[in-house]
Amino acid sequence: MNTRAARFFPFLETLRGYSRADFRADLLAAVTVTPMAVPQAMAYAIIAGVHPQYGIYACMLPVALAALWGSSRYMAAGPTNAISMVIYSTFATVSVGGVLISSLPEAARMAYVFGLAVLCGLIQIGMGLARLGDLANFISHSVMVAFTTGAALLIAVGQISTVLGLTGPKPAGFFNQIFAALHGLPQANIWCLALAVLTVVLTLTFRRVSRRFPASLAALAVVTAVSALLGAGERGVPLVGAIPSVVPPLSLPPAFDLDALRDLFMPALALALLGTVESLAIGKQLANVKNDSFDGSQELIGQGLGNLAAGLTSGIPGCGSFTRSALMVSSGGRTRMGTVFSGILALPMLFLLAPLIRWLPLPALGGILLLISFKMIDVEAIRLCLVATRVDRVVLLITFLSTLLFDLEKAIFIGVLLSLVLFIYKTSHPRVRRLQPGDPLLREAPADLPDGVAVYVIEGTLFFGAIHELERQLYEEDREPARLVLLHLSRVFWLDASGAHALAQFVERCYARSMPVILVVGSSSVRNILQRTGILDYLSNGFVADTINEGLRLAATLLRRVSCRDGQCAFPMPAMPAWRDDQETDPLLSAGEAGAAAGLAPTQADQLPGPLRSAPGNAAANAAQARSNEPAPARSTPAAEARVTLTGPQPPAGGPAHPASEDAAASVVSAAPSADGPAGFVPAPQPTPSPTAAPAPPAGRKSGSDPKELA
């Protein structure tokens, strides 16, 4: 099939291989799901503050379009509790011409509901076309758990007045509704409370029959019959009232008004984000259960078309419903056509139930909503967030309190902002750990590995935040001094320019502390980036490895080359300066630069231009430089080794170097980089050779930084 056609019409692939067995299975699943979806939609419409008929309308064409153009073959969209709560909160706070939308007559109020649905659908379609389906992954699990829990409490508290039969306007706010309910207890209607309790008991009882049995619909039918027989309407029990048995009429949003559009945009964006997160989470979970592929961006297009259709056919906005989707799976549905059939069957069910729904007591729907709200609270998920990390606890509590204290759309944006901050925090604190002896990664380390090799593993994203964490551990946390740093980058999956720049600076600072660096780079993409940025060229072959075992062998060879004889210690360097033709000595390194570890790695401080080289360890070099007026011409020579002249007690010849005392004296002869050293460093003029220098290598001698060559 044409790829472009399959992208714009994903249901064509389903219809091409559709069989009679698929039709039978999907139809039976739809017959099971629809009787549960209709009473749920009516209850959610009440949460949104509108007549139940608008919830039923949202179960028809919007559900079918979302299924046809979505990605999941089991996703059942439609009105949901959280979306309805946001609608109610929006119209309780947004005003038009100084009047709250919730206070407008129903005809005027519903026009804004339809406009909100259209705007939400357009936002979701735009997100899908922009391939933003993966953005929901950045919303923290703690945020969604907190928001769902807060919304559940808001739904439960909002139904207290309905269950108790309290009359009068319902106050806004979680705590205000609780206080109003407590204040109105003396005026409670016992008939309303009894019908709500009866509905809850019958629903819980019918659920024991079968998972596929429409317990809610059966309970509402029984309670409606009891209410009609006892004349509950005459005893002050509010009823749903008449519902027209007609095809959902076409609807239009209010006339274009820039002020109204501005007021509705942020609530519509909040609805779109909330619907996106819920729908994509459900779709991914269903896809994992059935081993299906899932395209989040395509699902956004389907959900957007569904909300757009809801706004044009007198429905309220919605999103994917986990309850109905799970029932579609457990009922034996095979394809997306099962959800399409469910949307189609909602129309004859409306014609069938409309004469009976007019006698349905509103407290009965309140009882159903109480059950739904309590089912929304996931105690295990809350416990997991509380015991996981301190960050998860803080995010959970902040989002939960925001849901109770602020408007729901504001709570959504607070949760999204917290999720982004949490994501930035986690990525800026990648896992950087120092391997200890006995670690599985060091099981094949050389038996004669010298002390002082610090092996660090960076996992995740390598950028400036990871390098900062690495330096913090290296310089602040580690007790034992390091003579050589081995960076294991094979578990780094992403590296950008900032990461490469930070890594280059880290290498420079390590050499300034007399600690050479060996990189273990196993990823070809990371290696290519390091190659293009010049870091690998700067380090040379002897300081880059493909595996950690190879890096450990290089480290052992490198440290074994540290030897002291006749008051001088030699150490191989990754890059060497230009040599003077008449120089008769190897370049020497200041003992003051050798650091406390006396691993005697080369310092990069002397690679700075002459005027900038003023480090305390370079005092002798600065003095020598001042005495050198006209440096002789130099030629570039590969890296070889650095030698340091020490005074005081020396280690035995060929043995490992010992830490140099703080007052150790040294005479620096030369420590400038090669002409083709790292970018940003200019080779300094060479000072006059020290009379204590060792003889220079003969002309034509070639030396490199490869430990094998040095050996």
Side-chain angles (χ1 to χ4, degrees):
M1 180 178 292
N2 190 297
T3 305
R4 177 172 296 182
R7 177 182 177 183
F8 289 101
F9 304 99
F11 57 88
L12 294 180
E13 182 69 22
T14 302
L15 295 178
R16 186 178 64 171
Y18 202 65
S19 64
R20 181 175 298 179
D22 294 335
F23 172 78
R24 186 183 304 110
D26 290 339
L27 184 60
L28 290 177
V31 171
T32 304
V33 172
T34 307
M36 184 188 71
V38 170
Q40 274 192 354
M42 296 170 58
Y44 296 150
I46 292 178
I47 293 177
V50 301
H51 195 277
Q53 72 187 65
Y54 300 108
I56 300 178
Y57 294 157
C59 286
M60 300 179 186
L61 183 61
V63 173
L65 290 182
L68 288 174
W69 268 271
S71 176
S72 175
R73 57 178 173 142
Y74 297 108
M75 179 76 73
T80 62
N81 40 38
I83 295 293
S84 297
M85 279 301 304
V86 175
I87 297 173
Y88 176 81
S89 176
T90 297
F91 294 145
T93 55
V94 176
S95 60
V96 177
V99 180
L100 292 176
I101 295 180
S102 58
S103 302
L104 295 175
E106 180 177 333
R109 183 173 72 252
M110 292 310 301
Y112 288 98
V113 173
F114 304 146
L116 189 65
V118 170
L119 195 55
C120 175
L122 292 176
I123 293 175
Q124 288 182 319
I125 293 174
M127 294 173 63
L129 294 177
R131 312 302 296 174
L132 299 180
D134 292 333
L135 288 182
N137 297 332
F138 296 98
I139 307 300
S140 169
H141 177 66
S142 302
V143 169
M144 292 306 302
V145 171
F147 179 81
T148 303
T149 305
L153 294 181
L154 289 174
I155 292 173
V157 170
Q159 296 307 310
I160 292 179
S161 60
T162 302
V163 170
L164 295 178
L166 301 179
T167 59
K170 183 186 300 184
F174 178 77
F175 298 103
N176 292 335
Q177 291 181 1
I178 293 179
F179 295 148
L182 293 175
H183 186 267
L185 279 178
Q187 290 80 34
N189 188 325
I190 191 64
W191 284 89
C192 293
L193 181 60
L195 291 175
V197 172
L198 179 62
T199 304
V200 172
V201 172
L202 289 176
T203 303
L204 295 177
T205 302
F206 290 150
R207 284 180 180 176
R208 298 176 179 269
V209 176
S210 173
R211 186 177 181 181
R212 300 184 181 183
F213 184 76
S216 299
L217 183 62
L220 290 177
V222 173
V223 172
T224 300
V226 172
S227 173
L229 291 175
L230 298 179
E234 299 174 359
R235 302 178 186 273
V237 177
L239 304 178
V240 170
I243 293 181
S245 301
V246 296
V247 176
L250 295 179
S251 57
L252 292 175
F256 180 78
D257 184 354
L258 189 59
D259 293 334
L261 179 63
R262 183 177 60 251
D263 293 335
L264 291 179
F265 178 78
M266 295 307 293
L269 180 60
L271 284 176
L273 291 177
L274 179 59
T276 295
V277 174
E278 289 195 356
S279 300
L280 296 188
I282 295 170
K284 290 180 180 180
Q285 187 172 356
L286 295 176
N288 292 334
V289 170
K290 291 297 184 178
N291 294 324
D292 293 341
S293 60
F294 182 75
D295 185 351
S297 298
Q298 185 62 49
E299 186 63 42
L300 280 181
I301 295 176
Q303 295 296 323
L305 288 174
N307 283 323
L308 183 62
L312 298 178
T313 58
S314 304
I316 61 176
C319 66
S321 169
F322 180 78
T323 304
R324 298 191 289 271
S325 301
L327 184 58
M328 181 63 66
V329 175
S330 61
S331 301
R334 295 185 180 182
T335 70
R336 66 180 74 233
M337 299 307 297
T339 307
V340 175
F341 294 154
S342 175
I344 296 174
L345 289 177
L347 182 59
M349 183 166 288
L350 172 64
F351 293 151
L352 178 65
L353 297 179
L356 302 177
I357 291 177
R358 62 178 304 175
W359 301 104
L360 177 63
L362 286 178
L365 286 176
I368 296 294
L369 289 175
L370 287 177
L371 288 177
I372 292 174
S373 63
F374 289 128
K375 192 176 181 180
M376 290 172 60
I377 301 176
D378 191 342
V379 178
E380 181 60 26
I382 296 174
R383 187 197 68 82
L384 179 63
C385 295
L386 290 176
V387 303
T389 64
R390 183 178 62 181
V391 174
D392 287 320
R393 289 193 294 271
V394 172
V395 170
L396 178 76
L397 294 176
I398 292 178
T399 307
F400 177 73
L401 293 177
S402 300
T403 305
L404 298 182
L405 298 176
F406 304 123
D407 304 332
L408 279 184
E409 63 269 19
K410 295 179 181 177
I412 292 174
F413 291 127
I414 291 175
V416 171
L417 179 61
L418 285 175
S419 297
L420 295 179
V421 171
L422 180 61
F423 172 76
I424 295 174
Y425 174 81
K426 289 182 177 179
T427 54
S428 62
H429 292 75
R431 189 180 182 188
V432 179
R433 61 188 180 98
R434 180 172 181 174
L435 301 185
Q436 302 298 331
D439 191 279
L441 290 176
L442 299 179
R443 60 179 178 271
E444 298 182 7
D448 57 344
L449 183 67
D451 294 335
V453 178
V455 182
Y456 288 90
V457 176
I458 301 179
E459 299 179 359
T461 300
L462 179 59
F463 73 122
F464 58 88
I467 298 300
H468 174 76
E469 178 69 13
L470 177 65
E471 290 182 328
R472 185 185 66 83
Q473 292 191 25
L474 181 63
Y475 302 145
E476 297 178 9
E477 294 184 355
D478 291 336
R479 301 289 183 181
E480 54 189 80
R483 300 168 59 197
L484 183 145
V485 176
L486 190 148
L487 284 184
H488 184 29
L489 304 181
S490 297
R491 297 184 178 181
V492 172
F493 61 84
W494 185 67
L495 171 69
D496 63 355
S498 63
H501 176 69
L503 181 61
Q505 289 185 331
F506 171 76
V507 172
E508 290 296 331
R509 286 190 288 267
C510 281
Y511 280 119
R513 290 174 175 262
S514 302
M515 288 184 294
V517 178
I518 293 178
L519 298 184
V520 178
V521 187
S523 171
S524 58
S525 59
V526 174
R527 179 180 286 270
N528 291 336
I529 295 175
L530 295 178
Q531 185 71 47
R532 290 195 298 268
T533 55
I535 297 178
L536 296 187
D537 293 336
Y538 168 65
L539 289 175
S540 75
N541 294 332
F543 295 84
V544 182
D546 293 327
T547 64
I548 191 170
N549 294 329
E550 180 185 351
L552 292 173
R553 288 193 294 269
L554 289 176
T557 304
L558 200 62
L559 290 181
R560 281 196 297 267
R561 291 297 301 155
V562 180
S563 59
C564 297
R565 184 176 59 189
D566 298 332
Q568 291 186 341
C569 294
F571 197 95
M573 296 182 67
M576 289 301 294
W579 294 49
R580 286 174 48 178
D581 290 334
D582 57 347
Q583 185 172 333
E584 297 180 355
T585 60
D586 287 345
L588 302 186
L589 185 68
S590 167
E593 292 290 329
L600 304 183
T603 174
Q604 299 301 317
D606 293 314
Q607 291 185 351
L608 292 172
L612 301 179
R613 292 185 288 123
S614 58
N618 294 337
N622 294 337
Q625 176 65 30
R627 293 193 300 266
S628 179
N629 296 326
E630 295 182 359
R635 58 184 175 86
S636 177
T637 304
E641 62 182 25
R643 292 192 177 184
V644 180
T645 301
L646 300 177
T647 62
Q650 302 300 322
H658 296 284
S661 62
E662 293 182 0
D663 56 348
S667 298
V668 179
V669 176
S670 175
S674 61
D676 51 355
F681 291 93
V682 180
Q686 302 303 308
T688 304
S690 169
T692 62
R701 166 188 169 184
K702 295 182 178 181
S703 59
S705 58
D706 193 331
K708 297 180 180 179
E709 183 179 340
L710 292 171

